[in-house]
Amino acid sequence: MFGLPTFLQAILGFLLLIGPLVVLHELGHYLVARWLGVKSDVFSIGFGKEIWGRTDKRGTHWRIAAVPLGGYVQFAGDGNAVSQADDDKIAHMSVEERDHAFATQPIWKRSLIVLAGPVANLIVAFAIFFAFNAIQGKAVEVPEVTGFAAKSDARNAGVQLRDRIVSVDGNEIVSATEIAEHVLPYPGRTVELGIEREGRTLTVPVKLASQTVKDQFGNEGRIADLGLDFASPNVRLVVPGSPAEKAGIEANDRILAINDTRVTSFRQVRDLIMTRPGEKITVSVLRGETEKMLPVTVGSVPGTNEKGVKATYGQIGIAYGKIEKVGPIEAATMSVGQCYGIMRMMVTGIVQIVTGERSVKELGGPLKIAKYSGEHLSLGFDNFVWFIALISINLAFINLLPIPTLDGGHLAFYAAEAVRRRPVDAKGQEWAFRTGLAFVLALMLFVTVNDIASLLPIGK
């Protein structure tokens, strides 16, 4: 499945990723419960056999268990790890103990306690994005067309050079960096491009072709691409350990030429490099007012061409864009938008899988998360922390789904209780929780088998 170094990185990355996120999620439940006067009997990281544990002066038993795929807080009066009330246990409590039991609390308190876990994960992601935005600023590119790919759906639909993209499917576009979120997830769809041309506003429908891409680790994804270029060839960042870094290319360099070919857009740079895997090239850059000629050995990554045939492409590990510094308010606003955008893409992905637009093979489980954790860890601190933010939003999103045993399932029960003015009967809750548990276990089994099938060279 992995080479040995990558396997060790995957184990380390997975533990560094899941451990803190689970702790912070459960701390959200615990701290809000404690604030609202609800006693916690057990705080567990992981499930199954206890590896370590101790009980504090408040009577909470803190434990680490053998299976590190989650955790739970069991409150006073709970019958199990998913906070089903134990009526017999509650009946034998003193009046004071009942006051601190979870099940005896009003709906608003129970809802806040349950909601606190996913909110904690969203706060983690927000904090990470805020730090990146405040330190690094934002990438900005004027959404004016400067070039086309060799095969461009937008050009075929009538988009011209110097057209300015002002909207995609009604979503306002200020920077070219905003276009991707409205295009990449929708291969095969037709999008409406709003463009400005010589003082006129036009609408151009573009059917997006499906494109299969692979990264340097062989991870495959299906995306859409307009085939437009907006970017000047300014280097925004250099991937640690990449051919570009080894050659001495730096952030804020402007690429002037690849070998003897002058370039004016980043797509030209990408296209010239993609066709030269493993070759030695000369990259001319402008740094300040000095032009430098840097020899670069192009890296090789696997991919798939437009005919679906496996191919090898060149890559040197740079990203484009101009950077603008932002203040704390704008950094916070950007962070909220990033969290929302990622959750919206998750919803889109699930809908596409349900409707058959995407294959269920794109679903990932713990093995893929471990693999990706190791890969992002190998790319450096920034990449790994960014991946933590992404998975933190995933955890929040999944836990908010209205599935019994998950936080969203509890919230659904409380909503029903608020409407009916009485709780769902014990038999109904028991049936729902058993069904929810069976669904979650079946899903975990499916994605794990899916992971094994995609990570092992079976049929490849």
Side-chain angles (χ1 to χ4, degrees), residues 150-372:
K151 292 185 177 181
S152 171
D153 299 305
R155 179 173 57 185
N156 294 339
V159 177
Q160 300 177 7
L161 287 174
R162 292 182 293 281
D163 282 350
R164 186 185 181 103
I165 308 299
V166 295
S167 68
V168 179
D169 280 342
N171 299 287
E172 183 183 8
I173 300 298
V174 176
S175 170
T177 57
E178 300 169 347
I179 294 175
E181 66 178 292
H182 304 296
V183 171
L184 292 184
Y186 306 109
R189 296 269 189 97
T190 297
V191 297
E192 299 283 340
L193 294 185
I195 62 175
E196 285 185 356
R197 180 185 300 164
E198 298 176 347
R200 296 177 297 149
T201 301
L202 308 172
T203 299
V204 178
V206 179
K207 183 175 176 59
L208 302 173
S210 178
Q211 181 180 9
T212 301
V213 296
K214 287 187 178 182
D215 64 15
Q216 63 264 49
F217 300 105
N219 299 313
E220 188 175 285
R222 194 165 67 91
I223 63 171
D225 182 13
L226 286 170
L228 298 178
D229 200 5
F230 308 95
S232 56
N234 296 308
V235 178
R236 175 165 59 88
L237 63 85
V238 179
V239 176
S242 66
E245 184 188 55
K246 293 175 182 176
I249 295 176
E250 299 178 359
N252 300 318
D253 284 352
R254 180 184 178 90
I255 298 177
L256 302 176
I258 303 295
N259 290 337
D260 296 325
T261 303
R262 305 296 289 184
V263 296
T264 58
S265 74
F266 200 85
R267 183 177 289 275
Q268 287 178 282
V269 175
R270 189 184 69 178
D271 290 347
L272 287 168
I273 290 173
M274 283 181 66
T275 58
R276 293 171 167 80
E279 292 185 21
K280 292 184 178 180
I281 62 174
T282 299
V283 178
S284 301
V285 302
L286 184 66
R287 185 174 301 160
E289 297 181 358
T290 304
E291 183 174 346
K292 294 179 177 292
M293 310 282 284
L294 303 174
V296 181
T297 300
V298 179
S300 300
V301 294
T304 306
N305 64 22
E306 65 275 6
K307 296 181 180 179
V309 179
K310 291 183 178 180
T312 301
Y313 297 103
Q315 190 176 78
I316 62 173
I318 55 177
Y320 69 90
K322 297 178 182 178
I323 298 297
E324 289 183 0
K325 292 296 183 181
V326 299
I329 295 177
E330 187 173 3
T333 302
M334 289 170 59
S335 302
V336 171
Q338 287 165 321
C339 290
Y340 172 73
I342 291 171
M343 292 192 76
R344 185 174 64 181
M345 289 183 69
M346 290 175 187
V347 173
T348 298
I350 290 176
V351 171
Q352 289 177 332
I353 288 172
V354 171
T355 58
E357 287 185 67
R358 287 187 178 273
S359 169
V360 292
K361 293 180 180 180
E362 295 189 37
L363 287 173
L367 294 181
K368 275 190 179 177
I369 292 175
K371 178 179 185 289
Y372 297 154

Side-chain angles (χ1 to χ4, degrees), residues 15 19 46 56 115 119 121 163 214 227 240 260 269 271 307 314 341 374-375 405 435 441:
L15 294 176
D56 65 19
L115 193 59
V119 168
N121 286 129
D163 282 350
K214 287 187 178 182
D260 296 325
V269 175
D271 290 347
K307 296 181 180 179
E375 290 167 354
T405 72
T435 303
L441 291 176

